[in-house]
Amino acid sequence: VAAALGLSACGDSVPIGDDGQFEGNITFSLALGDGSHHHVGAKAFGDKLTELSDGRITVSYYYDNALGGEREVVEGMLIDSIDMGITSTGPIGGFVDEFFVFDLPYLFENHEHAHAVLDSEIGDELTDLLKETANVQILAWMENGFRHQTNSVRPINTPEDLEGIDHRTQESQVQIDTWSALGANATPMAWPEVYTALQQGVMDSQENPLPTIVDVRFFEVQDYLALTQHVYSPAPMMMSGKLWDSLSEEDQAMFQEAADYALPIQREASYEQEQEAVATLESEGMEVTEPDLDLFREAVEPVYEKWAPQLGEDRIEAARNFDH
Ligand code: MLT
């Protein structure tokens, strides 16, 4: 993809200077737009990297799936045709099963809980698994956010209200099982197709974090927002494992320093955009409901019964009860 786009320094063509240092431009894939909470983190990282490297390394951002859908972007980093990207974790489960743990509904109580788990040995273990299995290196556990449901049919207050609604999930069997347990007709669909599917009525419903719903202007094609907060979605900032392995130790430390610098900036932007979103979406005409979440929690219990053995009972319990 990158070669077809004529990108300058991507994958195998990464120039390494005589002194073994990386020199050139990084291609960075984003699923959202300029100014989105993903982009704020990516840009903080890129600016810091350019500063730390005295201009030796620059970063070019490709917005709104310009380099492909999220699964294709992870694949691109795996085969080293895309240098870096931020995606949600949903499609990563297709490469490493254990990442489906993040699709388990109501696993985390709040942002602090999720951050504490991601920044702990549990996050480190998943980082190692992705590198070993798919040769993709996570540099920072950035945030996609708590996800909420939107639809074009009716206000949602209880799971019964989802009856007969055609609902798009990410490409994850855990998500399909969750929305089926809630009573919707769940169908997986890649992210770049979702807006058009909602616009054309192929799908009635989707779910995403509030900053995303604003960024992609879902209020243009959806009338109702239900604050279901049914799952916390991480947004790991990743790079091609081949590129990472080709860096000198000094350069790896510099990339990591830039990522560590960007992480709190991204999480703060995500939080701020989330705080402002409901008012924005109401002003754009969406009707907002606050469903009875106990009913939703109860309805999704079978998802845990089915998936806990496969995803690791110990990991799930450790994450659920993590001190925060
Ligand atoms: C999705 O619903 O596919 C993702 O949440 C999109 C994203 O990563 O922003």
Side-chain angles (χ1 to χ4, degrees), residues 214-235:
V214 173
D215 180 73
V216 299
R217 302 177 70 82
F218 277 150
F219 51 79
E220 294 172 344
V221 291
Q222 299 275 268
D223 298 325
Y224 305 102
L225 165 66
L227 298 174
T228 45
Q229 196 162 332
H230 52 276
V231 77
Y232 177 89
S233 170

Side-chain angles (χ1 to χ4, degrees), residues 31-32 37-38 70 86-89 91 144 147 168-170 175 189-192 194 206-209 212 233 235:
L32 300 178
H37 60 317
H38 294 192
E70 296 199 302
I86 294 177
T87 76
S88 60
T89 42
N144 203 19
R147 299 173 79 101
R168 175 265 174 175
T169 69
Q170 290 188 280
Q175 293 188 25
M189 180 179 274
W191 176 237
V194 178
Q206 68 85 45
E207 46 73 68
N208 252 293
T212 304
S233 170

